[in-house]
Amino acid sequence: MDSICVQGGIALQGKVSIQGSKNAALPILAATLLVGERSFIRNCPRITDVYAMVSLLKAMGCQVNWQEQGIWVDSSRIQKSVMQSEAVRGMRSSLCLLGAMVGRCGSVVMEHPGGCVIGRRPIDLHLCALGQMGVEFEEEGGLLSASADRLCGACICLPKPSVGATENVILAAVMAEGDTVIEGAAREPEIVALCDYLCACGAWIRGAGTSCIRIRGGRTLYGTDFTVPADRIVAGTYLFACVAAGGNIFLEHAPGPDMGAVLEVAGRMGAKLCTSRDGIYVQAPSGPVSPGHVMTAPYPGFPTDLQSAALVAASLGEGTTLMEETIFENRFRVVGELCKMGASIELLDPGRVLVRGVETLQGACVEARELRGGAALVAAGLAARGETVVRGCPYIYRGYENICRDFRELGARIISA
Ligand code: UD1
């Protein structure tokens, strides 16, 4: 199932239910390690990144059982093991296990974590912040060892609001002696979800969702039943697909209040949007217009993970769009593939592209090179005339449960092959 085949040019119609959030589920699964009891995590997406995290939890001695509604994780018996597998190399979120394992066991040895090929993705902020809490690191032969004789709360000032570093500090801090304050914390909704889960387990955390988070360490944690929120990035991908392909759709469970910047850009393109507690209703414009200047930024700014989906819609938007990527280098890998489909996108420099809207895209054979860019190519295929074949789809399955089923719900002609 390496390819997805789309017959484009059909406007999207109908309702699709938005899956649980990948970026919330992964750190929450890592956090189950801290609890030492059974947790039931509902609405956990069935995606390959979650399967990789589950295999790492199992390798550390957790009992994990999938049920229809979610996943049981029992972390009462943990064994220290060297985390050295494709699951670590291929998935940057395995880095969360650093804070979680140091918190639970005092030490961990793991391979340098991987992730999508979107720039250097250093881990200096993680190491520096955990170092301030008493964690010592050694790197040898591609293995990273972390250990702390005493894990202590600290006042940590992050020079960049890194999502992963904020999560790692929170995970370590709930187990540390004393209080931790994170200044310059990431404010993403997924941080809030992680803190909600930990608080439901008995942790004391205040300020999640703001740039200053306070954590009181050393409280006893208990297993709990928790529901992962819907994925704002999946919802945004489908929203921009609809803006590009046309139609009227309802994104059931889409977290409208967390998607302000996304809705604002889609609105500038002419989409009519109506947000309720149940989801987001989208009415695409008959022909999208350029959103002007779009710049990615940490939350609450426009998410880097939706930059490529927005690029697809902007490619069909009347006028000229300047798209600026400020979070990751090398995140315009999709541009060459979109140009094969007839888009007019000029790379001004590694962080900026200029898009001149064209009337139509044509189906083509294109290659997914990373998760979000791959999903954007599927969206482009829906909007294009004729047939598009997207290869390299395992990237897409890292984050989308079943993108073909979802778009079929919306009337698209799309199959995996
Ligand atoms: C998370 C998300 C990813 C999203 C990204 C930004 C998960 C599983 N992944 O990734 O989907 O695109 O947030 O919203 O939640 N940085 C450093 N040093 C570090 C760590 C990060 O310089 O030690 C830099 C990065 O290179 C990047 C910026 O900080 O330029 C933000 O990265 P970060 O927020 O850490 O992204 P991730 O947590 O990896």
Side-chain angles (χ1 to χ4, degrees), residues 362-407:
Q362 284 89 43
C365 190
V366 289
E367 181 83 29
R369 298 207 166 89
E370 39 95 12
L371 162 60
R372 304 302 172 187
L377 290 173
V378 174
L382 294 168
R385 286 202 185 140
E387 182 177 276
T388 294
V389 176
V390 182
R391 295 193 204 282
C393 292
Y395 278 120
I396 300 175
Y397 305 139
R398 292 182 54 172
Y400 295 77
E401 268 186 355
N402 194 334
I403 197 168
C404 292
R405 175 202 61 202
D406 287 352
F407 281 128

mmCIF file of all heavy atoms in Angstrom, residues 362-407:
data_model
loop_
_atom_site.group_PDB
_atom_site.id
_atom_site.type_symbol
_atom_site.label_atom_id
_atom_site.label_comp_id
_atom_site.label_asym_id
_atom_site.label_seq_id
_atom_site.Cartn_x
_atom_site.Cartn_y
_atom_site.Cartn_z
ATOM 1 N N GLN A 362 -3.104 19.673 -12.848
ATOM 2 C CA GLN A 362 -3.305 18.439 -13.616
ATOM 3 C C GLN A 362 -2.770 17.263 -12.824
ATOM 4 O O GLN A 362 -1.722 17.391 -12.149
ATOM 5 C CB GLN A 362 -2.538 18.477 -14.950
ATOM 6 C CG GLN A 362 -3.186 19.344 -16.019
ATOM 7 C CD GLN A 362 -2.687 20.770 -15.924
ATOM 8 O OE1 GLN A 362 -1.506 20.997 -15.752
ATOM 9 N NE2 GLN A 362 -3.609 21.726 -15.993
ATOM 10 N N GLY A 363 -3.477 16.141 -12.929
ATOM 11 C CA GLY A 363 -3.021 14.930 -12.258
ATOM 12 C C GLY A 363 -1.627 14.547 -12.735
ATOM 13 O O GLY A 363 -1.247 14.818 -13.869
ATOM 14 N N ALA A 364 -0.841 13.948 -11.831
ATOM 15 C CA ALA A 364 0.530 13.542 -12.179
ATOM 16 C C ALA A 364 0.959 12.435 -11.228
ATOM 17 O O ALA A 364 0.253 12.114 -10.267
ATOM 18 C CB ALA A 364 1.471 14.739 -12.057
ATOM 19 N N CYS A 365 2.125 11.878 -11.501
ATOM 20 C CA CYS A 365 2.699 10.888 -10.595
ATOM 21 C C CYS A 365 3.696 11.631 -9.705
ATOM 22 O O CYS A 365 4.668 12.210 -10.206
ATOM 23 C CB CYS A 365 3.398 9.820 -11.443
ATOM 24 S SG CYS A 365 3.865 8.440 -10.455
ATOM 25 N N VAL A 366 3.417 11.674 -8.419
ATOM 26 C CA VAL A 366 4.252 12.483 -7.508
ATOM 27 C C VAL A 366 4.695 11.639 -6.315
ATOM 28 O O VAL A 366 4.131 10.581 -6.053
ATOM 29 C CB VAL A 366 3.483 13.747 -7.022
ATOM 30 C CG1 VAL A 366 3.317 14.756 -8.130
ATOM 31 C CG2 VAL A 366 2.133 13.377 -6.418
ATOM 32 N N GLU A 367 5.676 12.171 -5.589
ATOM 33 C CA GLU A 367 6.312 11.398 -4.516
ATOM 34 C C GLU A 367 6.176 12.137 -3.181
ATOM 35 O O GLU A 367 6.605 13.293 -3.066
ATOM 36 C CB GLU A 367 7.799 11.246 -4.888
ATOM 37 C CG GLU A 367 8.642 10.467 -3.926
ATOM 38 C CD GLU A 367 8.555 8.958 -4.146
ATOM 39 O OE1 GLU A 367 8.326 8.534 -5.309
ATOM 40 O OE2 GLU A 367 8.700 8.229 -3.152
ATOM 41 N N ALA A 368 5.598 11.463 -2.174
ATOM 42 C CA ALA A 368 5.573 12.035 -0.815
ATOM 43 C C ALA A 368 6.961 11.883 -0.216
ATOM 44 O O ALA A 368 7.546 10.809 -0.280
ATOM 45 C CB ALA A 368 4.550 11.287 0.041
ATOM 46 N N ARG A 369 7.479 12.971 0.377
ATOM 47 C CA ARG A 369 8.820 12.892 0.975
ATOM 48 C C ARG A 369 8.790 13.128 2.467
ATOM 49 O O ARG A 369 9.790 12.997 3.151
ATOM 50 C CB ARG A 369 9.757 13.907 0.316
ATOM 51 C CG ARG A 369 9.935 13.622 -1.156
ATOM 52 C CD ARG A 369 11.260 14.135 -1.682
ATOM 53 N NE ARG A 369 11.534 13.573 -2.993
ATOM 54 C CZ ARG A 369 11.139 14.127 -4.140
ATOM 55 N NH1 ARG A 369 10.459 15.246 -4.127
ATOM 56 N NH2 ARG A 369 11.427 13.543 -5.284
ATOM 57 N N GLU A 370 7.651 13.515 2.974
ATOM 58 C CA GLU A 370 7.446 13.653 4.422
ATOM 59 C C GLU A 370 5.938 13.641 4.683
ATOM 60 O O GLU A 370 5.147 13.757 3.740
ATOM 61 C CB GLU A 370 8.149 14.890 5.009
ATOM 62 C CG GLU A 370 8.106 16.146 4.157
ATOM 63 C CD GLU A 370 6.983 17.080 4.518
ATOM 64 O OE1 GLU A 370 6.357 16.884 5.571
ATOM 65 O OE2 GLU A 370 6.721 18.009 3.742
ATOM 66 N N LEU A 371 5.590 13.516 5.964
ATOM 67 C CA LEU A 371 4.195 13.307 6.357
ATOM 68 C C LEU A 371 3.231 14.378 5.824
ATOM 69 O O LEU A 371 2.296 14.077 5.075
ATOM 70 C CB LEU A 371 4.164 13.219 7.893
ATOM 71 C CG LEU A 371 2.876 13.406 8.651
ATOM 72 C CD1 LEU A 371 1.843 12.369 8.241
ATOM 73 C CD2 LEU A 371 3.140 13.294 10.149
ATOM 74 N N ARG A 372 3.427 15.620 6.242
ATOM 75 C CA ARG A 372 2.430 16.652 5.898
ATOM 76 C C ARG A 372 2.463 17.017 4.424
ATOM 77 O O ARG A 372 1.422 17.297 3.824
ATOM 78 C CB ARG A 372 2.638 17.901 6.768
ATOM 79 C CG ARG A 372 2.606 17.637 8.264
ATOM 80 C CD ARG A 372 1.311 17.007 8.730
ATOM 81 N NE ARG A 372 1.393 16.611 10.134
ATOM 82 C CZ ARG A 372 0.457 15.915 10.754
ATOM 83 N NH1 ARG A 372 -0.641 15.524 10.123
ATOM 84 N NH2 ARG A 372 0.599 15.588 12.026
ATOM 85 N N GLY A 373 3.660 17.016 3.836
ATOM 86 C CA GLY A 373 3.768 17.273 2.401
ATOM 87 C C GLY A 373 3.055 16.180 1.622
ATOM 88 O O GLY A 373 2.403 16.443 0.608
ATOM 89 N N GLY A 374 3.150 14.943 2.093
ATOM 90 C CA GLY A 374 2.498 13.821 1.426
ATOM 91 C C GLY A 374 0.986 13.998 1.443
ATOM 92 O O GLY A 374 0.305 13.820 0.413
ATOM 93 N N ALA A 375 0.434 14.369 2.585
ATOM 94 C CA ALA A 375 -1.021 14.574 2.681
ATOM 95 C C ALA A 375 -1.445 15.732 1.775
ATOM 96 O O ALA A 375 -2.517 15.697 1.161
ATOM 97 C CB ALA A 375 -1.415 14.854 4.130
ATOM 98 N N ALA A 376 -0.582 16.739 1.669
ATOM 99 C CA ALA A 376 -0.898 17.883 0.801
ATOM 100 C C ALA A 376 -0.964 17.442 -0.659
ATOM 101 O O ALA A 376 -1.796 17.938 -1.428
ATOM 102 C CB ALA A 376 0.148 18.987 0.984
ATOM 103 N N LEU A 377 -0.116 16.488 -1.045
ATOM 104 C CA LEU A 377 -0.158 16.003 -2.434
ATOM 105 C C LEU A 377 -1.476 15.278 -2.707
ATOM 106 O O LEU A 377 -2.029 15.359 -3.808
ATOM 107 C CB LEU A 377 1.033 15.082 -2.714
ATOM 108 C CG LEU A 377 2.392 15.792 -2.776
ATOM 109 C CD1 LEU A 377 3.520 14.769 -2.883
ATOM 110 C CD2 LEU A 377 2.438 16.764 -3.969
ATOM 111 N N VAL A 378 -1.977 14.562 -1.706
ATOM 112 C CA VAL A 378 -3.287 13.910 -1.863
ATOM 113 C C VAL A 378 -4.361 14.991 -2.058
ATOM 114 O O VAL A 378 -5.216 14.882 -2.952
ATOM 115 C CB VAL A 378 -3.615 13.013 -0.646
ATOM 116 C CG1 VAL A 378 -5.032 12.469 -0.738
ATOM 117 C CG2 VAL A 378 -2.607 11.878 -0.539
ATOM 118 N N ALA A 379 -4.288 16.054 -1.269
ATOM 119 C CA ALA A 379 -5.245 17.162 -1.413
ATOM 120 C C ALA A 379 -5.144 17.770 -2.807
ATOM 121 O O ALA A 379 -6.161 18.072 -3.444
ATOM 122 C CB ALA A 379 -4.991 18.227 -0.338
ATOM 123 N N ALA A 380 -3.912 17.910 -3.294
ATOM 124 C CA ALA A 380 -3.722 18.476 -4.640
ATOM 125 C C ALA A 380 -4.350 17.546 -5.682
ATOM 126 O O ALA A 380 -4.985 18.006 -6.640
ATOM 127 C CB ALA A 380 -2.236 18.676 -4.924
ATOM 128 N N GLY A 381 -4.200 16.232 -5.467
ATOM 129 C CA GLY A 381 -4.787 15.255 -6.388
ATOM 130 C C GLY A 381 -6.301 15.378 -6.443
ATOM 131 O O GLY A 381 -6.909 15.221 -7.501
ATOM 132 N N LEU A 382 -6.924 15.668 -5.311
ATOM 133 C CA LEU A 382 -8.387 15.815 -5.270
ATOM 134 C C LEU A 382 -8.844 17.013 -6.101
ATOM 135 O O LEU A 382 -9.912 17.000 -6.699
ATOM 136 C CB LEU A 382 -8.859 16.008 -3.822
ATOM 137 C CG LEU A 382 -8.653 14.830 -2.871
ATOM 138 C CD1 LEU A 382 -8.896 15.256 -1.438
ATOM 139 C CD2 LEU A 382 -9.581 13.677 -3.244
ATOM 140 N N ALA A 383 -8.009 18.055 -6.082
ATOM 141 C CA ALA A 383 -8.382 19.287 -6.787
ATOM 142 C C ALA A 383 -8.013 19.239 -8.264
ATOM 143 O O ALA A 383 -8.553 20.003 -9.061
ATOM 144 C CB ALA A 383 -7.683 20.476 -6.118
ATOM 145 N N ALA A 384 -7.077 18.335 -8.628
ATOM 146 C CA ALA A 384 -6.534 18.342 -9.996
ATOM 147 C C ALA A 384 -7.471 17.660 -10.987
ATOM 148 O O ALA A 384 -8.282 16.825 -10.603
ATOM 149 C CB ALA A 384 -5.179 17.643 -9.999
ATOM 150 N N ARG A 385 -7.291 17.977 -12.254
ATOM 151 C CA ARG A 385 -8.014 17.264 -13.320
ATOM 152 C C ARG A 385 -7.304 15.952 -13.584
ATOM 153 O O ARG A 385 -6.069 15.927 -13.668
ATOM 154 C CB ARG A 385 -7.970 18.077 -14.600
ATOM 155 C CG ARG A 385 -8.888 19.256 -14.538
ATOM 156 C CD ARG A 385 -9.223 19.688 -15.967
ATOM 157 N NE ARG A 385 -10.011 20.904 -15.884
ATOM 158 C CZ ARG A 385 -9.865 21.925 -16.705
ATOM 159 N NH1 ARG A 385 -8.976 21.875 -17.674
ATOM 160 N NH2 ARG A 385 -10.618 22.990 -16.572
ATOM 161 N N GLY A 386 -8.061 14.883 -13.723
ATOM 162 C CA GLY A 386 -7.459 13.604 -14.100
ATOM 163 C C GLY A 386 -6.905 12.844 -12.910
ATOM 164 O O GLY A 386 -7.265 13.107 -11.758
ATOM 165 N N GLU A 387 -5.991 11.912 -13.225
ATOM 166 C CA GLU A 387 -5.526 10.976 -12.187
ATOM 167 C C GLU A 387 -4.190 11.408 -11.584
ATOM 168 O O GLU A 387 -3.265 11.780 -12.301
ATOM 169 C CB GLU A 387 -5.377 9.588 -12.822
ATOM 170 C CG GLU A 387 -4.946 8.549 -11.809
ATOM 171 C CD GLU A 387 -4.865 7.157 -12.407
ATOM 172 O OE1 GLU A 387 -5.917 6.498 -12.479
ATOM 173 O OE2 GLU A 387 -3.762 6.738 -12.807
ATOM 174 N N THR A 388 -4.120 11.310 -10.263
ATOM 175 C CA THR A 388 -2.854 11.556 -9.561
ATOM 176 C C THR A 388 -2.472 10.293 -8.809
ATOM 177 O O THR A 388 -3.322 9.677 -8.161
ATOM 178 C CB THR A 388 -3.003 12.732 -8.559
ATOM 179 O OG1 THR A 388 -3.232 13.914 -9.313
ATOM 180 C CG2 THR A 388 -1.759 12.924 -7.704
ATOM 181 N N VAL A 389 -1.217 9.924 -8.911
ATOM 182 C CA VAL A 389 -0.715 8.812 -8.098
ATOM 183 C C VAL A 389 0.334 9.393 -7.156
ATOM 184 O O VAL A 389 1.307 10.010 -7.590
ATOM 185 C CB VAL A 389 -0.093 7.706 -8.980
ATOM 186 C CG1 VAL A 389 0.509 6.606 -8.105
ATOM 187 C CG2 VAL A 389 -1.138 7.134 -9.924
ATOM 188 N N VAL A 390 0.080 9.232 -5.840
ATOM 189 C CA VAL A 390 1.046 9.703 -4.839
ATOM 190 C C VAL A 390 1.794 8.482 -4.335
ATOM 191 O O VAL A 390 1.186 7.562 -3.782
ATOM 192 C CB VAL A 390 0.337 10.413 -3.662
ATOM 193 C CG1 VAL A 390 1.361 10.931 -2.652
ATOM 194 C CG2 VAL A 390 -0.549 11.549 -4.156
ATOM 195 N N ARG A 391 3.093 8.475 -4.532
ATOM 196 C CA ARG A 391 3.911 7.365 -4.002
ATOM 197 C C ARG A 391 4.532 7.783 -2.679
ATOM 198 O O ARG A 391 4.532 8.951 -2.329
ATOM 199 C CB ARG A 391 5.028 7.032 -4.990
ATOM 200 C CG ARG A 391 4.533 6.500 -6.299
ATOM 201 C CD ARG A 391 5.712 5.914 -7.068
ATOM 202 N NE ARG A 391 5.469 5.898 -8.500
ATOM 203 C CZ ARG A 391 4.705 5.015 -9.114
ATOM 204 N NH1 ARG A 391 4.106 4.067 -8.425
ATOM 205 N NH2 ARG A 391 4.517 5.072 -10.415
ATOM 206 N N GLY A 392 5.088 6.813 -1.967
ATOM 207 C CA GLY A 392 5.751 7.142 -0.684
ATOM 208 C C GLY A 392 4.744 7.329 0.439
ATOM 209 O O GLY A 392 4.987 8.066 1.402
ATOM 210 N N CYS A 393 3.579 6.666 0.325
ATOM 211 C CA CYS A 393 2.497 6.928 1.284
ATOM 212 C C CYS A 393 2.752 6.453 2.717
ATOM 213 O O CYS A 393 2.061 6.924 3.629
ATOM 214 C CB CYS A 393 1.184 6.385 0.749
ATOM 215 S SG CYS A 393 0.717 7.373 -0.678
ATOM 216 N N PRO A 394 3.699 5.531 2.972
ATOM 217 C CA PRO A 394 3.958 5.219 4.380
ATOM 218 C C PRO A 394 4.227 6.466 5.223
ATOM 219 O O PRO A 394 3.896 6.506 6.409
ATOM 220 C CB PRO A 394 5.185 4.296 4.303
ATOM 221 C CG PRO A 394 4.971 3.562 3.008
ATOM 222 C CD PRO A 394 4.405 4.600 2.068
ATOM 223 N N TYR A 395 4.784 7.522 4.624
ATOM 224 C CA TYR A 395 4.945 8.776 5.379
ATOM 225 C C TYR A 395 3.594 9.281 5.870
ATOM 226 O O TYR A 395 3.452 9.753 6.995
ATOM 227 C CB TYR A 395 5.547 9.864 4.494
ATOM 228 C CG TYR A 395 7.047 9.802 4.354
ATOM 229 C CD1 TYR A 395 7.646 9.630 3.116
ATOM 230 C CD2 TYR A 395 7.871 9.941 5.467
ATOM 231 C CE1 TYR A 395 9.024 9.586 2.977
ATOM 232 C CE2 TYR A 395 9.243 9.902 5.339
ATOM 233 C CZ TYR A 395 9.822 9.725 4.099
ATOM 234 O OH TYR A 395 11.179 9.685 3.968
ATOM 235 N N ILE A 396 2.585 9.193 4.975
ATOM 236 C CA ILE A 396 1.262 9.745 5.308
ATOM 237 C C ILE A 396 0.623 8.928 6.430
ATOM 238 O O ILE A 396 -0.008 9.488 7.337
ATOM 239 C CB ILE A 396 0.362 9.755 4.050
ATOM 240 C CG1 ILE A 396 1.011 10.611 2.953
ATOM 241 C CG2 ILE A 396 -1.042 10.257 4.382
ATOM 242 C CD1 ILE A 396 0.279 10.593 1.624
ATOM 243 N N TYR A 397 0.835 7.600 6.399
ATOM 244 C CA TYR A 397 0.194 6.739 7.400
ATOM 245 C C TYR A 397 0.810 6.931 8.787
ATOM 246 O O TYR A 397 0.280 6.443 9.769
ATOM 247 C CB TYR A 397 0.268 5.264 6.969
ATOM 248 C CG TYR A 397 -0.315 5.033 5.588
ATOM 249 C CD1 TYR A 397 0.298 4.179 4.678
ATOM 250 C CD2 TYR A 397 -1.470 5.706 5.192
ATOM 251 C CE1 TYR A 397 -0.228 4.000 3.402
ATOM 252 C CE2 TYR A 397 -1.993 5.531 3.915
ATOM 253 C CZ TYR A 397 -1.367 4.679 3.029
ATOM 254 O OH TYR A 397 -1.886 4.509 1.777
ATOM 255 N N ARG A 398 1.907 7.662 8.878
ATOM 256 C CA ARG A 398 2.464 7.993 10.201
ATOM 257 C C ARG A 398 1.504 8.882 10.990
ATOM 258 O O ARG A 398 1.532 8.876 12.220
ATOM 259 C CB ARG A 398 3.780 8.752 10.042
ATOM 260 C CG ARG A 398 4.890 7.915 9.467
ATOM 261 C CD ARG A 398 6.149 8.707 9.382
ATOM 262 N NE ARG A 398 6.435 9.269 10.705
ATOM 263 C CZ ARG A 398 7.540 9.890 11.012
ATOM 264 N NH1 ARG A 398 8.475 10.052 10.110
ATOM 265 N NH2 ARG A 398 7.718 10.348 12.221
ATOM 266 N N GLY A 399 0.693 9.667 10.260
ATOM 267 C CA GLY A 399 -0.138 10.654 10.955
ATOM 268 C C GLY A 399 -1.617 10.608 10.614
ATOM 269 O O GLY A 399 -2.421 11.241 11.302
ATOM 270 N N TYR A 400 -1.975 9.948 9.512
ATOM 271 C CA TYR A 400 -3.387 9.917 9.090
ATOM 272 C C TYR A 400 -3.853 8.471 9.156
ATOM 273 O O TYR A 400 -3.280 7.601 8.499
ATOM 274 C CB TYR A 400 -3.534 10.470 7.657
ATOM 275 C CG TYR A 400 -3.160 11.936 7.572
ATOM 276 C CD1 TYR A 400 -1.818 12.326 7.575
ATOM 277 C CD2 TYR A 400 -4.135 12.932 7.544
ATOM 278 C CE1 TYR A 400 -1.456 13.673 7.536
ATOM 279 C CE2 TYR A 400 -3.791 14.269 7.505
ATOM 280 C CZ TYR A 400 -2.447 14.640 7.503
ATOM 281 O OH TYR A 400 -2.097 15.972 7.466
ATOM 282 N N GLU A 401 -4.903 8.218 9.947
ATOM 283 C CA GLU A 401 -5.396 6.850 10.150
ATOM 284 C C GLU A 401 -5.766 6.197 8.842
ATOM 285 O O GLU A 401 -5.347 5.082 8.550
ATOM 286 C CB GLU A 401 -6.659 6.883 11.023
ATOM 287 C CG GLU A 401 -6.370 6.743 12.474
ATOM 288 C CD GLU A 401 -7.659 6.625 13.287
ATOM 289 O OE1 GLU A 401 -8.774 6.743 12.745
ATOM 290 O OE2 GLU A 401 -7.524 6.436 14.493
ATOM 291 N N ASN A 402 -6.581 6.907 8.065
ATOM 292 C CA ASN A 402 -7.030 6.340 6.800
ATOM 293 C C ASN A 402 -7.527 7.495 5.924
ATOM 294 O O ASN A 402 -8.716 7.781 5.837
ATOM 295 C CB ASN A 402 -8.148 5.324 7.064
ATOM 296 C CG ASN A 402 -8.403 4.474 5.846
ATOM 297 O OD1 ASN A 402 -8.131 4.900 4.717
ATOM 298 N ND2 ASN A 402 -8.913 3.275 6.046
ATOM 299 N N ILE A 403 -6.565 8.125 5.294
ATOM 300 C CA ILE A 403 -6.879 9.356 4.533
ATOM 301 C C ILE A 403 -7.784 9.026 3.343
ATOM 302 O O ILE A 403 -8.648 9.828 2.973
ATOM 303 C CB ILE A 403 -5.558 10.064 4.106
ATOM 304 C CG1 ILE A 403 -5.803 11.509 3.690
ATOM 305 C CG2 ILE A 403 -4.811 9.283 3.035
ATOM 306 C CD1 ILE A 403 -4.533 12.336 3.538
ATOM 307 N N CYS A 404 -7.641 7.813 2.784
ATOM 308 C CA CYS A 404 -8.487 7.432 1.634
ATOM 309 C C CYS A 404 -9.932 7.254 2.088
ATOM 310 O O CYS A 404 -10.859 7.770 1.466
ATOM 311 C CB CYS A 404 -7.971 6.141 1.000
ATOM 312 S SG CYS A 404 -6.371 6.354 0.206
ATOM 313 N N ARG A 405 -10.124 6.529 3.205
ATOM 314 C CA ARG A 405 -11.486 6.333 3.724
ATOM 315 C C ARG A 405 -12.121 7.701 4.025
ATOM 316 O O ARG A 405 -13.272 7.953 3.668
ATOM 317 C CB ARG A 405 -11.418 5.495 5.019
ATOM 318 C CG ARG A 405 -12.745 5.321 5.731
ATOM 319 C CD ARG A 405 -12.545 4.976 7.211
ATOM 320 N NE ARG A 405 -11.838 6.031 7.917
ATOM 321 C CZ ARG A 405 -11.165 5.869 9.047
ATOM 322 N NH1 ARG A 405 -11.080 4.691 9.605
ATOM 323 N NH2 ARG A 405 -10.563 6.895 9.637
ATOM 324 N N ASP A 406 -11.345 8.595 4.664
ATOM 325 C CA ASP A 406 -11.896 9.898 5.043
ATOM 326 C C ASP A 406 -12.351 10.679 3.818
ATOM 327 O O ASP A 406 -13.441 11.254 3.807
ATOM 328 C CB ASP A 406 -10.861 10.702 5.840
ATOM 329 C CG ASP A 406 -10.685 10.162 7.255
ATOM 330 O OD1 ASP A 406 -11.467 9.277 7.660
ATOM 331 O OD2 ASP A 406 -9.754 10.617 7.951
ATOM 332 N N PHE A 407 -11.514 10.713 2.778
ATOM 333 C CA PHE A 407 -11.914 11.475 1.589
ATOM 334 C C PHE A 407 -13.024 10.757 0.818
ATOM 335 O O PHE A 407 -13.845 11.419 0.176
ATOM 336 C CB PHE A 407 -10.698 11.784 0.700
ATOM 337 C CG PHE A 407 -9.870 12.949 1.220
ATOM 338 C CD1 PHE A 407 -8.500 12.831 1.413
ATOM 339 C CD2 PHE A 407 -10.464 14.168 1.503
ATOM 340 C CE1 PHE A 407 -7.741 13.896 1.885
ATOM 341 C CE2 PHE A 407 -9.721 15.254 1.984
ATOM 342 C CZ PHE A 407 -8.350 15.111 2.173
#
